[in-house]
Amino acid sequence: EERDHAVLFMQYMQNNGLKVTLEAIAKPDKTFDSVLSPMEVAAEHERYVTELINNIHDEAHQAKARNLKSCILKFWDTEILM
């Protein structure tokens, strides 16, 4: 899911004449002490990503960047509602 988001953002940026530079992603440093722990960490990460997407949408709305708002709307179906 996050990869799909990244591809959409890259396409948006390239379609708007922006250069995209991909860099290495560090190996996760998490260790888990229970079966439930990974799910809790994943849910917290989804809440964080949803907040970022909401912030981008708000900025796009203020800037009247309708094409960016349209791009962001594609993510809302897969995010945790806040």
Side-chain angles (χ1 to χ4, degrees):
E1 171 194 4
E2 305 305 347
R3 182 193 168 281
D4 293 342
H5 290 178
V7 169
L8 282 173
F9 271 121
M10 287 187 321
Q11 288 173 342
Y12 171 83
M13 293 174 67
Q14 290 171 334
N15 291 343
N16 287 277
L18 301 170
K19 181 179 178 184
V20 176
T21 303
L22 300 177
E23 297 184 11
I25 298 173
K27 178 182 173 185
D29 61 352
K30 302 273 187 229
T31 56
F32 302 106
D33 56 1
S34 74
V35 175
L36 185 58
S37 292
M39 298 304 290
E40 293 170 335
V41 170
E44 181 59 34
H45 177 73
E46 284 298 319
R47 284 188 287 274
Y48 170 71
V49 170
T50 298
E51 181 180 352
L52 293 176
I53 290 171
N54 289 337
N55 291 342
I56 294 169
H57 180 270
D58 292 347
E59 291 290 327
H61 180 74
Q62 288 180 340
K64 297 183 180 179
R66 289 175 182 87
N67 58 344
L68 178 54
K69 281 177 54 178
S70 175
C71 178
I72 293 298
L73 290 175
K74 295 174 185 173
F75 301 135
W76 280 358
D77 289 340
T78 62
E79 293 306 315
I80 294 173
L81 298 177
M82 296 180 64

